[in-house]
Every structure is written in C-alpha cells, then in structure tokens.
Amino acid sequence: MKSKLMTTAACVAAIILGQAAFAGTAAQDSSAPAAASSAASHADSVSADRPASVDEDRPQPAPRYSTAMKNAGVAGTVVVMVQVGADGKAKSFHVMMSSGSTALDDEAIRTVKAWSYKPAIKQGAPADGYVQIPITFNK
C-alpha cells in the first residue's frame, strides 16, 4: 500500500510540475518584449503547445467487461495515468484511482496499453507528457 501511495504521489507531482512548466513558459514568454514578427511566431508556438492525449484519429479497443462480472454486480471507474513519450509511445501505466476491483483495474490497464497516443507538444516540438484516462464499467 505504501508503495502504491508513493507511486500515486509521484504521478500527481509529475502532473502538477508539467502544468506549472506549461504555465511558467507561457507567462515568461508573453511578458518579454518582442518585435511584431517574433511575437507572431511566439503566438504560433504557444498555440501549438498541448498536453499528451489519446489519439482520437485511430479506433481504440474497448475494455472487456464479462457478463459474469456484470451479473456479479462488479462495476466502477478506474483512472489510469499513462506516461506518453515524445515518440507517442506509452512508457508507463499507473492506476491513479481504483474501482475497488483488481479485475477491473487490471482490465483497464490492459485496455489502455493497446491504445494509441499523441505526444505532448512544448514550444512546437514533441515532448514527454501524461494523460489521465477514466475507464468506466457499468452494470
């Protein structure tokens, strides 16, 4: 349990630091005086900044939710934190919020491992980032 708590804390810290880096970069860059042409190119690069995400242009496999689990009343939402590399490949997966069922948590991880991702974009270039994915299993 202590190890899981430490992993969760590390992921939350990574998200907070990543968001702070985005905010800090935008604030730092926008407060500096610049010529009109460099201001326009800066606006283009800032508007290109985005966090990592699921690749919505590709079909993503749905989680398997067995009839037996539905009939047993096993349901819930699992939130998975995925670290996405600059190459768009997932590097790590962590359950940030458990459904309370190990079977559902494992299925959520199995599902998001099969998905495709887009890397974060920082200052116009691909970068490592994180994306949180909720997977809901309804009765």
Side-chain angles (χ1 to χ4, degrees):
M1 180 67 179
K2 189 174 184 178
S3 174
K4 192 171 188 176
L5 183 59
M6 295 291 285
T7 300
T8 301
C11 288
V12 170
I15 291 169
I16 292 169
L17 290 173
Q19 289 172 342
F22 270 124
T25 300
Q28 181 182 25
D29 291 346
S30 65
S31 65
S37 63
S38 67
S41 66
H42 168 70
D44 292 340
S45 70
V46 170
S47 67
D49 285 358
R50 65 172 168 77
S53 62
V54 174
D55 187 348
E56 300 293 336
D57 298 333
R58 302 178 118 177
Q60 308 298 343
R64 290 182 291 201
Y65 188 30
S66 71
T67 304
M69 291 189 73
K70 285 181 189 177
N71 292 341
V74 179
T77 298
V78 183
V79 178
V80 180
M81 173 69 71
V82 180
Q83 180 184 14
V84 180
D87 59 359
K89 296 189 185 315
K91 293 176 146 185
S92 67
F93 307 86
H94 300 282
V95 172
M96 294 298 294
M97 184 179 85
S98 174
S99 65
S101 165
T102 302
L104 294 183
D105 294 353
D106 291 346
E107 179 56 24
I109 292 284
R110 188 203 64 77
T111 298
V112 299
K113 280 184 175 182
W115 287 7
S116 300
Y117 300 92
K118 291 183 178 179
I121 301 295
K122 294 181 184 169
Q123 298 178 350
D128 287 2
Y130 293 87
V131 59
Q132 289 185 40
I133 304 169
I135 304 286
T136 301
F137 300 88
N138 292 322
K139 297 178 194 177

